Amino acid sequence: MERRSEVERRIREACGRSGRAPEEIGIIAVTKYVSTSTAVEALRSGLPNLGENRWQDAEPKWRAIAELTETAPGPIRPVWHFIGSLQTNKVKEVVGRFMYIHSLDRLSLAQAIDRKAGQLGITVPCFIQVNVSGEDSKHGLAPEQLIDFARTVAPLPNVEIAGLMTMAPFEAEPEQTRPVFRSLRLLRDELNERAVLPAEAKGLSMGMSNDFEIAVEEGATWLRLGTILVGKEEAAQ
């Protein structure tokens, strides 16, 4: 997959500039704008992590790929990441199907995830979404709310805080996103220094097609890449 090779080359170069190892960084292929067949192609090319924003859009892909996995076991073993704003009434559909939730931003959502995960006997790794940029159009906690929120959700037995997530503003010059990514890393470090969680939260879910190299340089552990990695199709079904 040519796109994948180019993305991996750029990640390696960003790692070289920042003294990191490429193995520290996971790539999520965001498939919301592509068809099921393209998502399957991404899986077969060696991209097991798939990201979707809405259950309504993800459901046909999830079901088709689950059926394919059952009939043709082997390399097609997706790891699903829910990366969009999650409505509480959709938790019952998402938990148990998506391994990671990248958009935890309120207590009611954390409690709903905990209840459903408890029913299934699983623990769900979640990223707390922080609106570092302060844009009204973006979801997430204000940075100053993070510590108290983490302290509140820490006792939930079936929710694991795996790290923090943010979305930077789209900038014509990606370098301008650096303060956002750096701020998220510093917030994660502060969260761990205060030890309000049962275990250290190591993850940083940040960086998209326009700015992922800057995110890598600032410590990203998960990149959410759509158009640059799998393209965009007019009618994704």
Side-chain angles (χ1 to χ4, degrees):
M1 194 174 183
E2 189 174 330
R3 286 193 180 99
R4 176 189 168 193
S5 297
E6 174 63 12
V7 165
E8 289 178 342
R9 179 190 66 78
R10 291 170 63 179
I11 290 172
R12 286 194 300 272
E13 291 180 355
C15 285
R17 292 191 294 270
S18 53
R20 301 186 66 199
E23 294 75 23
E24 298 174 17
I25 298 148
I27 300 172
I28 301 169
V30 179
T31 54
K32 66 176 180 175
Y33 292 127
V34 299
S35 63
T36 299
S37 61
T38 300
V40 171
E41 181 185 348
L43 277 173
R44 286 178 168 155
S45 76
L47 293 167
N49 294 284
L50 303 182
E52 286 280 338
N53 284 52
R54 287 160 42 96
W55 170 244
Q56 297 94 314
D57 300 330
E59 182 177 7
K61 295 172 193 168
W62 187 93
R63 295 193 184 282
I65 291 172
E67 182 178 347
L68 182 61
T69 300
E70 290 176 2
T71 57
I76 302 177
R77 291 289 178 182
V79 177
W80 289 95
H81 297 248
F82 196 88
I83 61 175
S85 179
L86 180 56
Q87 297 173 310
T88 305
N89 64 356
K90 296 298 180 185
V91 165
K92 63 183 182 295
E93 307 290 353
V94 169
V95 171
R97 294 186 170 108
F98 286 72
M99 181 173 288
Y100 295 90
I101 295 174
H102 289 245
S103 49
L104 179 60
D105 62 355
R106 59 196 187 279
L107 179 58
S108 60
L109 177 59
Q111 292 169 332
I113 293 169
D114 183 63
R115 282 194 299 271
K116 181 62 177 178
Q119 293 168 8
L120 297 174
I122 62 175
T123 299
V124 181
C126 297
F127 292 79
I128 298 175
Q129 184 170 357
V130 184
N131 186 358
V132 175
S133 68
E135 292 179 284
D136 292 339
S137 61
K138 289 183 169 54
H139 294 273
L141 302 171
E144 60 270 19
Q145 297 174 314
L146 172 63
I147 301 300
D148 285 344
F149 179 75
R151 188 175 286 116
T152 301
V153 301
L156 298 176
N158 305 299
V159 172
E160 174 196 344
I161 302 304
L164 306 182
M165 182 273 245
T166 200
M167 296 177 63
F170 183 89
E171 300 284 0
E173 175 46 62
E175 178 62 33
Q176 295 178 13
T177 63
R178 190 178 298 278
V180 172
F181 298 140
R182 182 170 295 167
S183 293
L184 193 73
R185 173 167 52 82
L186 294 174
L187 283 169
R188 189 233 12 221
D189 293 347
E190 180 185 359
L191 178 64
N192 288 329
E193 286 168 6
R194 296 204 184 192
V196 299
L197 297 172
E200 186 177 19
K202 298 181 179 180
L204 289 174
S205 173
M206 60 188 194
M208 300 170 68
S209 291
N210 187 57
D211 51 29
F212 69 93
E213 290 154 299
I214 305 298
V216 168
E217 293 173 5
E218 291 299 330
T221 63
W222 285 106
L223 304 173
R224 309 183 305 272
L225 304 180
T227 306
I228 198 169
L229 186 61
V230 295
K232 183 176 181 178
E233 299 162 6
E234 290 300 320
Q237 299 293 335

